[in-house]
Amino acid sequence: MFRCSTIGFLFLSSLSCLAQISVDTSYTEESLVREVFVGEKTKLNAIHYQGSYQSIGLFETEHLEFPLAKGIILSTGKAKHAIGPNRTPNRSTAFYKDGDDQLDKLSGRTTHDAAVLEFTFAPAHNTLAFEYIFASEEYPEYVGKGFNDVFAFILTDLTTREEQNLAVVPGTSLTVHIDNINALKNAAWFIANANRRDSPWHDLLEYDGMTRLLTARARVVPGRYYRIKLAIADVDDGMLDSSVILKEKSFRSFDQPVLAKDTASIVQPSIVFFDWDSSELTEEAQAQLHTFAEQVLRYTPRGIRVIGHTDALGADDYNEQLARKRVQAVVDYLATLGLQGKVSLYRQSKGENEPVASNAEESGRAQNRRVEVNVEY
């Protein structure tokens, strides 16, 4: 009896370790927006959701290293299907509900099963930002096929009626979808999740691919009312689910100096790459950091986090030290560009533990030999 109980306990414990994500679809849109998403006292009105109530919920994970611990999940299928491990390459749910006209226009095709969360707000400061992750079962098979699930964060100025989509690839005007962030394009922002060898989240999350934590950001006028539309939908058919996860309390406003020449300028994260077994900055990396430093000096960020990575070749201890050397090379160079004493620099090394591409091929290893430089506000 004791042996059976012990085995049962170990079995349940292993299941508990795998099931480190929970999704609760019982929350109202009011509570999700007011209590989960918005991170400061903000005037909120007209909170509205359209779509299946199985497609919106509270996302939580106990995994300490996952990019976000809690937030709102919006899905083209059942939100609870986000829960891993990833055993199904083509998880799909069709609700046969309507799409969305703006998403039709954005994708150039007919959308279905739209999940749309909207609310109006009046920011207290001149810059709006929030963090999110996009994940999809369409990775990797449908990359480059000419159609894909679509999502957008459409910000509307209710005074001027001007609209802009905030879901764009950092440093570009490209909308975020599987064709614009994948293993070959903007790969530094991509995490493969289809193969257990290549992903730290295979046992955690169902989807075959995901973005890293991205930031949506826009200039706003303090006190003026805006509407934000957070929307995702299937394109052409109801097959292959996609989701966007909005980080808890990340919806906020803060002040940045307004430049006379370009009031929309913001400091974008930077990723620099290294040659194999090297911590020397290439000319390209130096030019990239020079541009980054010029942007930082125009603003007053809270700090800069510099995170080093390597590919999987070599011993773990060696790669940890190599990642540290790469971080130090970046920090030292930023110091020469005038940031020393003006912005706090935080160092972190991950070694080979957080690949963004497969280490089985050189093209993937080249993407993993990187240092990420992120601005914190």
Side-chain angles (χ1 to χ4, degrees):
M1 178 66 70
F2 175 76
R3 180 178 298 173
C4 291
S5 298
T6 302
I7 293 173
F9 174 76
L10 292 175
F11 176 71
L12 290 173
S13 295
S14 65
L15 286 179
S16 176
C17 289
L18 290 177
Q20 289 180 304
I21 282 179
S22 66
V23 175
D24 189 340
T25 56
S26 67
Y27 284 77
T28 66
E29 56 265 41
E30 284 272 348
S31 60
L32 287 172
V33 170
R34 293 184 184 277
E35 299 170 21
V36 179
F37 188 38
V38 177
E40 60 183 19
K41 290 184 178 179
T42 303
K43 297 177 182 178
L44 297 174
N45 290 305
I47 299 173
H48 175 70
Y49 173 72
Q50 180 178 343
S52 170
Y53 277 92
Q54 296 183 69
S55 296
I56 182 173
L58 177 69
F59 175 99
E60 292 184 281
T61 177
E62 300 171 358
H63 200 295
L64 298 180
E65 295 184 3
F66 193 74
L68 58 82
K70 187 176 180 180
I72 301 174
I73 182 169
L74 290 170
S75 179
T76 65
K78 292 182 178 179
K80 288 188 176 182
H81 283 171
I83 300 172
N86 185 4
R87 295 195 179 104
T88 305
N90 56 355
R91 175 74 75 180
S92 304
T93 303
F95 295 115
Y96 304 103
K97 289 185 174 290
D98 292 337
D100 179 84
D101 290 342
Q102 285 183 298
L103 294 184
D104 287 351
K105 189 177 296 185
L106 187 63
S107 66
R109 293 173 178 265
T110 303
T111 59
H112 306 274
D113 287 343
V116 182
L117 180 62
E118 296 182 88
F119 58 91
T120 62
F121 67 97
H125 307 282
N126 70 11
T127 304
L128 169 72
F130 58 92
E131 281 77 58
Y132 67 98
I133 288 170
F134 170 69
S136 180
E137 287 287 75
E138 291 187 333
Y139 288 116
E141 298 93 336
Y142 289 90
V143 171
K145 300 297 184 182
F147 69 96
N148 45 262
D149 289 347
V150 60
F151 81 99
F153 305 140
I154 301 173
L155 181 69
T156 303
D157 185 325
L158 296 180
T159 299
T160 66
R161 311 308 297 183
E162 293 180 358
E163 296 180 351
Q164 58 177 311
N165 179 19
L166 308 187
V168 294
V169 180
T172 78
S173 59
L174 298 172
T175 57
V176 176
H177 54 65
I178 66 169
D179 285 350
N180 286 335
I181 294 182
N182 54 59
L184 299 177
K185 187 174 183 179
N186 294 304
W189 300 107
F190 176 65
I191 299 177
N193 200 45
N195 188 316
R196 179 173 280 104
R197 291 181 310 168
D198 301 329
S199 174
W201 315 126
H202 188 277
D203 289 334
L204 199 69
L205 198 68
E206 166 62 36
Y207 304 105
D208 288 348
M210 59 182 285
T211 68
R212 301 176 66 80
L213 191 67
L214 302 176
T215 301
R217 189 182 285 112
R219 284 289 189 182
V220 289
V221 178
R224 180 180 291 181
Y225 272 96
Y226 293 80
R227 182 173 66 247
I228 185 76
K229 179 178 181 178
L230 313 162
I232 189 168
D234 283 318
V235 173
D236 282 350
D237 57 37
M239 299 299 293
L240 301 176
D241 293 347
S242 298
S243 290
V244 62
I245 309 169
L246 309 166
K247 185 177 179 181
E248 176 195 29
K249 301 299 182 184
S250 67
F251 189 91
R252 67 210 185 275
S253 66
F254 51 89
D255 282 322
Q256 283 189 320
V258 177
L259 302 181
K261 291 183 179 180
D262 185 4
T263 59
S265 291
I266 54 175
V267 181
Q268 296 289 349
S270 183
I271 299 178
V272 296
F273 297 94
F274 290 79
D275 294 333
W276 180 75
D277 198 29
S278 173
S279 59
E280 296 292 325
L281 289 171
T282 64
E283 290 185 2
E284 181 180 358
Q286 290 179 4
Q288 197 170 338
L289 291 173
H290 194 277
T291 300
F292 174 83
E294 286 181 338
Q295 292 178 333
V296 169
L297 289 171
R298 297 174 185 170
Y299 300 98
T300 54
R302 187 173 60 188
I304 297 174
R305 190 169 298 277
V306 185
I307 308 172
H309 304 266
T310 70
D311 60 29
L313 298 182
D316 291 353
D317 290 345
Y318 181 83
N319 285 337
E320 174 67 23
Q321 291 303 314
L322 180 58
R324 291 177 184 272
K325 290 179 181 178
R326 289 173 175 170
V327 167
Q328 192 60 50
V330 170
V331 169
D332 289 345
Y333 192 71
L334 289 175
T336 68
L337 298 175
L339 296 189
Q340 188 170 14
K342 296 182 179 179
V343 182
S344 297
L345 295 170
Y346 304 97
R347 302 167 177 81
Q348 192 173 9
S349 59
K350 298 283 189 175
E352 63 186 67
N353 295 317
E354 291 189 4
V356 294
S358 172
N359 279 299
E361 299 177 353
E362 171 55 25
S363 60
R365 293 193 292 272
Q367 296 171 36
N368 294 330
R369 297 192 293 264
R370 69 196 194 280
V371 168
E372 302 164 6
V373 190
N374 298 311
V375 176
E376 296 184 346
Y377 295 99

